[in-house]
Amino acid sequence: DMRGFGESANLGEATMKTAQDSWQDVVAATNYLRTRQEVNMEAIGYSGASFSGASVANAGVNSGFGKAYLILATPIPWMTDKIAMAIDGSEASWWYIASKDDTQNGYNYQNTIDLLQRYSDTIKVTFFDTGGHGSMMFRHHPDLEEKIADWFFKVLKQ
């Protein structure tokens, strides 16, 4: 959950700027994890849907990379050229998932996929015909959770 969204304590205060700056919250959480001896920082994976997908990607680009990034239904303008160009150089595993019937805010997810694939030879892309926006995809694709868990397990063990 990002500030002002979902079950956040400050509902109603979310703005576009809050969403764009939320990558700093991901950095703060990562910095906290670095203080914990029981956390293996070599096996950190990040996931986010919609705005929060851009937040975890921006956090990686702006402050160093985790080992894996799963991004659900994050459209242009949230997935910027800067993020797309940094993917292959990050040495992290990336998986982008979207659906053609996602009409959230009228974005065309094919354009986002084209951008990511233009700059990256390594990103894994899954583009469903149906599934809706963000975490709604789990309702339409009940096996997706297990596939994501398996993917994280595989890439974080490398």
Side-chain angles (χ1 to χ4, degrees):
D1 251 354
M2 294 181 351
R3 284 182 272 160
F5 292 88
E7 296 179 20
S8 173
N10 68 340
L11 284 177
E13 297 177 26
T15 65
M16 192 62 70
K17 180 154 178 38
T18 303
Q20 291 171 333
D21 292 344
S22 65
W23 66 269
Q24 296 168 27
D25 295 343
V26 177
V27 172
T30 301
N31 288 338
Y32 169 75
L33 291 174
R34 285 187 177 114
T35 70
R36 307 297 302 183
Q37 290 181 332
E38 67 271 19
V39 175
N40 177 359
M41 293 305 294
E42 297 299 314
I44 295 291
Y46 298 85
S47 68
S50 194
F51 289 129
S52 62
S55 296
V56 297
N58 271 310
V61 169
N62 287 300
S63 69
F65 289 93
K67 192 153 184 181
Y69 291 87
L70 172 76
I71 312 298
L72 291 168
T74 299
I76 293 173
W78 305 109
M79 293 301 286
T80 64
D81 285 13
K82 180 180 176 183
I83 293 170
M85 288 188 285
I87 290 172
D88 286 358
S90 73
E91 298 182 14
S93 295
W94 292 75
W95 187 6
Y96 181 83
I97 304 172
S99 66
K100 293 177 185 175
D101 69 343
D102 183 347
T103 57
Q104 184 77 19
N105 300 316
Y107 290 119
N108 179 337
Y109 289 84
Q110 183 64 56
N111 291 341
T112 305
I113 291 168
D114 292 346
L115 169 76
L116 294 171
Q117 291 180 327
R118 182 177 325 122
Y119 292 112
S120 175
D121 294 323
T122 62
I123 191 168
K124 176 180 178 175
V125 172
T126 301
F127 198 31
F128 293 115
D129 287 330
T130 60
H133 186 68
S135 58
M136 289 176 34
M137 281 189 243
F138 296 123
R139 290 186 212 146
H140 296 273
H141 304 281
D143 61 335
L144 185 57
E145 287 183 51
E146 185 175 345
K147 287 179 181 178
I148 289 171
D150 289 346
W151 179 80
F152 269 121
F153 182 78
K154 177 184 168 197
V155 299
L156 293 176
K157 286 202 72 139
Q158 294 177 356

